[in-house]
């Protein structure tokens, strides 16, 4: 006997085509209606609260008096909650953000009751390849999702090479490490049972249609009907509608139920011939238009903010607080939890993807700022306690000004470190502010040098920053204002160990003469260190010789501008549009800094580009003409887009770094930077969630979209058996591999004027008018050191942390590596204290598809395996990570 399981729900986008509070107020109405329905209709079985616990918080903000009633119906199983905190986009949020979403969501769920045991991804814009491994490590063996797999239907044959297609709505989903879970595809979407009629004639028509659609894909006689949709009010007469259905179809059982019951019954009847889909599910076998990967380039400023805050929390605040625990005697669990929740409120797919109305994204910037400030506060408080315990008395000069440099990333790090030091202070208690200011300003700056803890002079550059107002906020007294004289110290840190610190001091002295060769020559048209030789052509293109492999790469740093008549979701180049390239003009080169430590030049390009699309586009948008059928072209009126690119090469670095700034006053266009590699290969690699994903360079035969946008976090790599190129980025999450010379194209700006999707929602702020600054880099490697360049890209996203301190004795060494992280084929993603505990938690994953040797060690600490929820699991502590394996430890 067929059984139709009806799950009542509402897919709750927290913010989207209306501002957050507009959706919020409607959420309050939904929850009020639900609680009333629970009270008045005993036949209404349950309601699935969209897999996200933040809905409870949002409701109680307005209805705090309803807490007990909520608890009553969660306990009774009427309101099905969890397991996540929010429904976040998988690909645009970090690996740790995906884990923390589960960690916070499960903790919040368990405060109320029992979470739904289901990985729930109803509308994620593609699904990450490591989902099976992550779900199993969180205790789930089933995931439900709406996108990424092509359903072929019960009577269709799935051929062997269709890795991303399934004849059933049920399938096995296998991750790159071999983990396997049951996958449930909403083949007829998560609204296939929405608004069920009560009246018999309408109900018969409805069910004849819906049953046929479901039967086309279901592998068993258990048919799933999702009664709800985006922001859908609860169907108050659902119980009556189900009674009507049971009367109309006596040979079918219609029940209202929840996912746990449905999955248990369905799983018992699964056939043996389920398909297996593997890895990332991003609609690889479709026409390629609605993969929604272009959301990675919508409102790039949001992606930059997200990278900044994620790195601040994951790689700076948590490691510093973890290392400071013994000195501080506490760990800021609640503060970090608040920061993480604030950050994750920006992670739903319509938020971080940049595909909402302007009001939504304005509020997002405020949340980013809040979370960032909390992260900085946590880091500074931890560092202050930590440096007080670090021995600095080795510096014999009584006037020495010590400072401590931290590498809080999980990778060795080479690069320019800057620290701002106060060399003299005059408190306001000693005179009038203006008199103090002028007194300090007129004093001659002494000659300074920098020494390390061994008393050796370190090559450094010291810049006078003048006099500024400052203040202290003591813990035991009122604020203390002052005037102070400052200098900035610049020095190169070479191969600084991960999770370590080194101590230096600014002391009086004359700089030793040096005969080291400066980085820049030929009037700014050449930069060279021990690893790279960079030449700049008159048109601004770069030729780079990798001295290690003796390979030369040409025509690098070419900027491309094209029109875009698409929307926040999807890029579409206008008909007959021709790209405008920086290589076709002349460039100007300026020297910004030249020393043996680092060289920096500025390359100025000027592109003459159309000011917008022609007026026809606005009419097509208002008429809701689908972007593929729009006829508008770019305006004949043009203006100059000036691109200023700083090119930085540091002593000892194998990475060339770029910072491009521009004032965008043009609309409806896309700007990219192109790096032709000349490497012949069929695949490339990009970092994703706990994975360096291998992706094909060419599309599936079904693909019709002339572009193939993809997601990245810190890097994309192209290599063959002998050589390779890695392009790094900071918050530039969209790239494309162009078949012309296997070019890596990274999107720097995409300016559009509408949301898109189901109506016309103008978004003038998505044009991203005004100043933009973007950062990226490039590294080169030989046959067996590609992962070295991956670490360079990841470390480039985490700045050195540096703090001034005093001369004092301390229990901690002057220079120290707190935790040993060894093995270039693994990446460290977490270094924190356990939630609600004090054990250190570390997490690494294998960057490769081969077994990877690694070593983790913390002095006087013993490791034990744990899962992503930080719960102990059985197994031996490992020194080898299996291909694509995620390994978490708790240290005691």
């Amino acid at each position: 006997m067929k059984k139709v399981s009806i799950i009542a729900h509402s897919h709750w986008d927290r913010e989207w085509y209306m501002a957050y509070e507009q959706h919020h107020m409607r959420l309050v109405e939904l929850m009020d209606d639900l609680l009333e329905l629970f009270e008045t209709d005993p036949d209404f079985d349950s309601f699935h609260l969209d897999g996200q616990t933040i809905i409870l918080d949002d409701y109680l903000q307005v209805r705090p008096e309803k807490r007990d009633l909520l608890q009553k119906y969660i306990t009774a199983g009427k309101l099905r909650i969890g397991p996540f905190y929010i429904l976040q986009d998988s690909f645009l949020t970090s690996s740790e953000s995906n884990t923390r979403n589960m960690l916070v969501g499960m903790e919040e769920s368990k405060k109320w009751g029992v979470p739904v045991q289901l990985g729930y991804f109803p509308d994620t814009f593609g699904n990450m390849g490591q989902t099976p491994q992550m779900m199993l490590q969180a205790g789930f063996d089933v995931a439900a999702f709406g996108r990424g797999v092509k359903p072929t239907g019960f009577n269709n044959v799935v051929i062997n090479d269709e890795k991303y297609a399934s004849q059933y709505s049920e399938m096995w989903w296998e991750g790159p490490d071999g983990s396997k879970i049951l996958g449930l595809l909403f083949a007829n979407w998560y609204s296939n049972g929405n608004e069920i009629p009560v009246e018999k004639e309408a109900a018969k028509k409805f069910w004849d249609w819906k049953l046929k659609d479901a039967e086309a894909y279901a592998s068993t006689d258990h048919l799933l009907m999702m009664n709800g949709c985006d922001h859908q009010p609860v169907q108050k007469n659902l119980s009556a509608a189900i009674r009507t259905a049971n009367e109309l179809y006596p040979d079918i059982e219609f029940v209202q139920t929840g996912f746990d019951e449905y999955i248990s019954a369905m799983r018992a009847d699964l056939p043996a011939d389920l398909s297996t889909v593997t890895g990332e599910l991003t609609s690889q076998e479709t026409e390629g238009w609605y993969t929604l990967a272009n959301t990675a380039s919508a409102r790039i400023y949001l992606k930059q903010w997200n990278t900044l805050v994620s790195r601040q929390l994951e790689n700076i605040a948590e490691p510093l607080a973890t290392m400071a625990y013994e000195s501080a005697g506490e760990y800021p669990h609640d503060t970090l939890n608040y920061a993480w929740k604030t950050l994750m409120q920006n992670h739903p797919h319509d938020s971080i993807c940049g595909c909402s109305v302007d009001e939504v994204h304005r509020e997002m910037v405020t949340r980013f700022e809040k979370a960032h400030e909390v992260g900085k506060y946590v880091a500074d408080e931890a560092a202050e306690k930590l440096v007080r315990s670090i021995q600095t008395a080795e510096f014999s000069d009584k006037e020495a000004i010590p400072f401590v440099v931290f590498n809080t990333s999980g990778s060795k790090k080479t690069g320019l470190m800057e620290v701002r030091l106060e060399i003299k202070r005059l408190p306001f208690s000693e005179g009038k502010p203006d008199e103090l200011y002028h007194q300090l300003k007129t004093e001659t700056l002494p000659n300074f040098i920098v020494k390390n803890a061994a008393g050796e002079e370190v090559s450094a550059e010291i810049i006078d920053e003048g006099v500024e107002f400052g203040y202290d906020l003591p813990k035991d007294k009122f604020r203390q204002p002052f005037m102070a004289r400052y200098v900035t110290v610049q020095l190169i840190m070479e191969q600084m160990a991960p999770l370590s610190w080194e101590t230096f001091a600014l002391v009086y002295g004359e700089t030793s003469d040096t005969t080291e060769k400066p980085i820049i020559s030929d009037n700014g048209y050449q930069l060279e260190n021990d690893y790279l030789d960079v030449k700049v052509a008159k048109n601004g293109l770069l030729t780079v010789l990798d001295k290690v492999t003796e390979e030369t790469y040409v025509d690098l740093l070419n900027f491309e501008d094209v029109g875009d008549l698409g929307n926040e979701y999807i890029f579409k180049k206008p008909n007959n549009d021709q790209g405008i390239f920086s290589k076709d003009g002349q460039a100007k080169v300026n020297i910004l800094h030249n020393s043996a430590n680092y060289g920096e030049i500025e390359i100025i390009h000027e592109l003459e580009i159309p000011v917008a699309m022609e007026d026809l586009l606005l009419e097509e948008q208002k008429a809701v003409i689908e972007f593929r059928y729009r006829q508008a072209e770019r305006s004949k009126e043009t203006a100059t887009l000036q691109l200023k690119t700083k090119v930085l090469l540091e002593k000892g670095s194998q990475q060339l770094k770029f910072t491009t700034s521009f004032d965008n006053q043009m609309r409806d266009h896309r700007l990219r930077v192109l790096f032709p590699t000349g490497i012949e290969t069929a695949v490339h690699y990009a970092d994703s969630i706990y994975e360096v994903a291998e992706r094909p360079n060419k599309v599936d035969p079904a693909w019709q979209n002339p572009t193939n946008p993809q997601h990245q976090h810190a890097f994309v790599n192209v290599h063959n058996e002998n050589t390779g190129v890695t392009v790094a980025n900071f918050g530039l999450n969209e790239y494309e591999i162009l078949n012309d010379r296997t070019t890596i194209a990274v999107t720097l700006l995409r300016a559009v004027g509408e949301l898109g999707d189901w109506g016309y929602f103008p978004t003038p702020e998505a044009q991203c008018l005004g100043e933009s600054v973007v950062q990226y880099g490039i590294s080169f490697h030989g046959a067996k050191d590609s992962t070295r360049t991956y670490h360079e890209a990841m470390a480039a996203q985490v700045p050195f942390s540096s703090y001034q301190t005093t001369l004092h004795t301390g229990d901690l060494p002057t220079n120290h590596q707190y935790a040993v992280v060894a093995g270039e084929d693994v990446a460290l993603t977490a270094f924190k204290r356990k939630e609600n505990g004090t054990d250190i938690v570390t997490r690494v994953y294998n960057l490769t598809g081969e077994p990877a040797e690694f070593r983790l060690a913390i002095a006087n600490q013993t490791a034990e395996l744990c899962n992503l929820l930080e719960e102990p699991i059985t197994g031996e502590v490992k020194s080898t990570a299996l291909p694509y394996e995620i390994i978490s430890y708790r240290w005691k």
Side-chain angles (χ1 to χ4, degrees), residues 544-733:
V544 179
L545 168 65
D546 178 7
K547 294 181 179 182
V548 178
T549 63
E550 298 184 340
E551 291 285 338
T552 298
Y553 301 87
V554 300
D555 299 335
L556 306 175
L557 197 71
N558 184 20
F559 295 97
E560 170 211 63
D561 192 85
V562 298
D564 188 351
L565 51 64
N567 52 50
E568 290 182 317
Y569 291 96
I570 303 170
F571 163 79
K572 172 64 168 66
K573 190 165 77 168
N575 298 331
N576 306 315
D577 190 35
Q578 298 297 316
I580 299 167
F581 297 93
S582 63
K583 67 181 178 64
D584 296 329
Q586 294 294 299
K588 181 180 178 182
V589 175
N590 298 318
I591 297 175
L592 300 180
H593 183 93
N594 191 17
S595 69
N597 280 338
Y598 73 97
E600 187 172 45
I601 63 172
E602 180 182 62
I603 304 176
I604 301 176
H605 296 91
E606 292 189 344
L607 301 184
E608 199 70 17
I609 67 172
V611 296
M613 295 293 295
E614 59 188 9
D615 293 342
L616 175 60
L617 176 60
L618 181 58
E619 291 302 309
E620 291 175 324
Q621 290 171 338
K622 288 180 177 180
V624 196
I625 294 175
E626 205 246 13
F627 63 90
R628 286 182 292 182
Y629 307 112
R630 293 173 181 173
Q631 300 302 311
E633 298 185 2
R634 296 188 86 174
S635 170
K636 299 300 186 288
E637 180 185 353
T638 64
T640 301
L641 177 64
Q642 186 181 75
L643 307 173
K644 295 181 178 181
T645 301
K646 296 177 182 179
V647 183
L648 174 66
L649 183 61
E650 300 150 314
K651 178 183 177 181
S653 176
Q654 293 180 261
Q655 184 182 55
L656 189 63
K657 298 177 181 177
F658 307 94
T659 301
T660 298
S661 60
F662 50 90
D663 182 3
N664 177 49
Q665 296 301 325
M666 292 71 165
R667 302 189 303 277
D668 313 315
H669 67 120
R670 182 189 67 185
L671 177 69
R672 301 197 294 189
V673 62
L674 312 180
F675 293 97
T677 69
I679 296 172
E680 293 186 7
T681 176
V683 298
H684 68 276
Y685 303 84
D687 64 323
S688 188
I689 309 303
Y690 296 118
E691 176 186 12
V692 177
E694 178 184 297
R695 296 169 181 159
N697 293 346
K698 294 185 178 180
V699 298
D700 185 88
W703 201 271
Q704 297 174 15
N705 187 341
T707 67
N708 183 24
Q710 301 283 347
H711 292 88
Q712 64 177 341
H713 281 271
F715 63 85
V716 58
N717 169 268
V718 171
H719 70 256
N720 58 21
E721 65 276 9
N722 297 316
T723 187
V725 176
T726 297
V727 174
N729 77 89
F730 189 94
L732 305 174
N733 295 116

Side-chain angles (χ1 to χ4, degrees), residues 111 142 265 312 388 543 645 815:
K111 290 177 183 177
V142 187
Q312 181 67 42
R388 283 206 303 259
T543 297
T645 301
N815 296 342

Side-chain angles (χ1 to χ4, degrees), residues 37-67:
L37 192 59
F38 292 152
E39 294 277 285
T40 58
D41 183 0
D43 292 334
F44 189 91
D45 179 82
S46 59
F47 190 89
H48 181 70
L49 206 57
D50 203 36
Q52 46 181 329
T53 61
I54 197 172
I55 289 175
L56 300 171
D57 296 339
D58 291 344
Y59 179 59
L60 291 174
Q61 276 187 325
V62 180
R63 298 275 196 268
E65 73 279 4
K66 298 289 188 178
R67 176 177 291 273

Side-chain angles (χ1 to χ4, degrees), residues 92 295-312 343 346 352 364-365 368-369 372 658-662 713 729-734 746-749 768 771-776 797:
L92 292 175
T295 56
S297 58
R299 303 179 189 261
I300 281 174
Y301 64 92
L302 296 176
K303 283 65 171 178
Q304 293 173 305
W305 261 115
N306 186 58
T307 302
L308 179 69
V309 181
S310 297
R311 299 287 74 76
Q312 181 67 42
L343 172 61
N346 281 346
I352 191 59
M364 283 180 65
V365 171
F368 280 133
E369 290 173 336
H372 189 229
F658 307 94
T659 301
T660 298
S661 60
F662 50 90
H713 281 271
N729 77 89
F730 189 94
L732 305 174
N733 295 116
E734 180 181 279
V746 178
T747 306
L748 308 182
L749 170 77
C768 299
E771 294 284 347
S772 289
V773 180
V774 294
Q775 297 172 302
Y776 48 102
Q797 291 192 344

Side-chain angles (χ1 to χ4, degrees), residues 382-440:
E384 181 183 358
K385 296 179 176 69
L386 190 55
V387 298
R388 283 206 303 259
S389 299
I390 293 173
Q391 172 78 7
T392 61
E394 277 86 350
F395 298 100
S396 57
D397 189 336
K398 293 182 179 179
E399 303 299 322
I401 302 172
F403 59 95
V404 183
V405 179
F406 295 92
N407 175 14
T408 55
S409 78
S411 306
K412 289 182 292 186
K413 185 171 173 64
T414 294
L416 181 65
M417 188 286 305
E418 290 190 344
V419 59
R420 192 167 182 265
L421 300 178
E422 176 191 305
I423 61 171
K424 187 173 182 180
R425 173 187 297 194
L426 294 176
F428 278 16
S429 59
E430 295 184 7
K432 295 180 179 179
D434 60 330
E435 294 173 351
L436 302 175
Y437 177 87
H438 288 292
Q439 178 183 338
L440 288 171

Side-chain angles (χ1 to χ4, degrees), residues 212-331:
K212 181 180 178 182
D213 282 351
E215 288 167 346
Y217 301 111
S219 64
T220 72
D221 286 338
H222 300 272
L223 306 183
L224 177 63
M225 291 290 166
M226 298 295 290
N227 176 242
C229 197
D230 301 347
H231 308 107
Q232 179 77 26
V234 62
Q235 182 173 345
K236 295 181 179 180
N237 61 357
L238 181 60
S239 299
I242 292 173
R243 288 192 288 271
T244 297
N246 278 309
E247 291 175 15
L248 290 172
Y249 301 87
D251 55 340
I252 301 175
E253 182 185 7
F254 294 82
V255 297
Q256 186 188 0
T257 188
F259 273 109
D260 291 335
E261 295 86 348
Y262 161 73
I263 290 169
S264 178
M266 174 271 297
R267 176 176 253 160
D269 293 338
L270 284 174
D273 62 339
L274 289 187
S275 300
T276 298
V277 295
T278 59
E280 296 179 329
L281 304 181
T282 55
S283 302
Q284 292 97 322
E285 293 178 349
T286 66
E287 84 293 330
W289 281 112
Y290 283 90
T291 62
L292 307 187
N294 286 126
T295 56
S297 58
R299 303 179 189 261
I300 281 174
Y301 64 92
L302 296 176
K303 283 65 171 178
Q304 293 173 305
W305 261 115
N306 186 58
T307 302
L308 179 69
V309 181
S310 297
R311 299 287 74 76
Q312 181 67 42
L313 296 182
E314 297 171 27
N315 304 113
I316 301 175
E318 288 184 340
L320 283 173
T322 297
M323 291 189 286
Y325 173 74
E326 284 83 4
S327 302
E330 58 183 1
Y331 186 80

Side-chain angles (χ1 to χ4, degrees), residues 133-162:
Q133 185 177 180
M134 293 177 67
M135 293 303 101
L136 289 176
Q137 287 207 24
F140 312 140
D141 59 1
V142 187
F145 50 92
R147 299 180 188 269
V149 172
K150 181 175 70 175
T152 60
F154 183 82
N155 294 318
N156 293 326
V157 176
V158 178
I159 58 177
N160 292 332
D161 63 352
E162 287 186 312

